[in-house]
Amino acid sequence: MKTKLTIPRTLFAVLLLAFVGLFVSIPRKRTITVTFDYDFRLNPACSLTLRKNCIKQFNVYDMTAERRIKLFSIPVPGGASGLVKGITGTGPPTHIPAGEHIVAVTAESSESFESDPGACTARIQVKR
């Protein structure tokens, strides 16, 4: 009689542990906000009158893995010129696992060229 009850209990415990392990390992959706400065004297912002050789947006990447993963884009602030401090952008909720990540911001031109992602990086710690 004891053997019959032990097997179902053991099976139930194994399934419960597998479910808990799966739940803990699934990355939760998180929101990332970045703030940075950019000097538009070197590369001006795109506008209604300037549409070539200009910066149209900034792209935010997770550079932690072997390849970069685009998280979101930030539009150029309206009327941006000279040194602009405190450009801020928040991405949509995304699945990102806990741990250390390298986040990079690039400037994208109207011709779809991007600046070096290694020029503007930060290490962040995503908590559980």
Side-chain angles (χ1 to χ4, degrees):
M1 186 77 161
K2 288 183 181 181
T3 306
K4 289 181 182 179
L5 291 177
T6 306
I7 293 173
R9 284 184 185 170
T10 304
L11 185 59
F12 176 73
V14 169
L15 289 174
L16 182 64
L17 285 173
F19 177 74
V20 169
L22 178 64
F23 180 75
V24 171
S25 68
I26 295 173
R28 296 186 310 206
K29 284 193 172 188
R30 303 167 194 276
T31 304
I32 296 174
T33 300
V34 297
T35 302
F36 58 95
D37 304 336
Y38 190 81
D39 190 350
F40 288 97
R41 289 178 288 203
L42 302 174
N43 296 298
C46 294
S47 65
L48 294 175
T49 57
L50 182 62
R51 296 181 183 206
K52 290 188 178 187
N53 299 321
C54 56
I55 302 301
K56 71 175 181 180
Q57 69 183 17
F58 298 99
N59 298 317
V60 180
Y61 293 97
D62 183 353
M63 303 288 287
T64 308
E66 292 177 8
R67 59 181 177 85
R68 64 183 183 181
I69 299 170
K70 187 174 183 179
L71 300 173
F72 59 97
S73 295
I74 303 168
V76 170
S81 66
L83 178 61
V84 178
K85 293 188 174 195
I87 299 170
T88 301
T90 301
T94 185
H95 290 288
I96 187 165
E100 186 176 83
H101 292 266
I102 300 170
V103 176
V105 177
T106 65
E108 184 178 345
S109 72
S110 56
E111 291 78 21
S112 297
F113 296 115
E114 287 188 70
S115 61
D116 176 15
C120 183
T121 63
R123 289 185 183 273
I124 62 170
Q125 187 68 35
V126 177
K127 296 185 180 184
R128 292 182 185 225

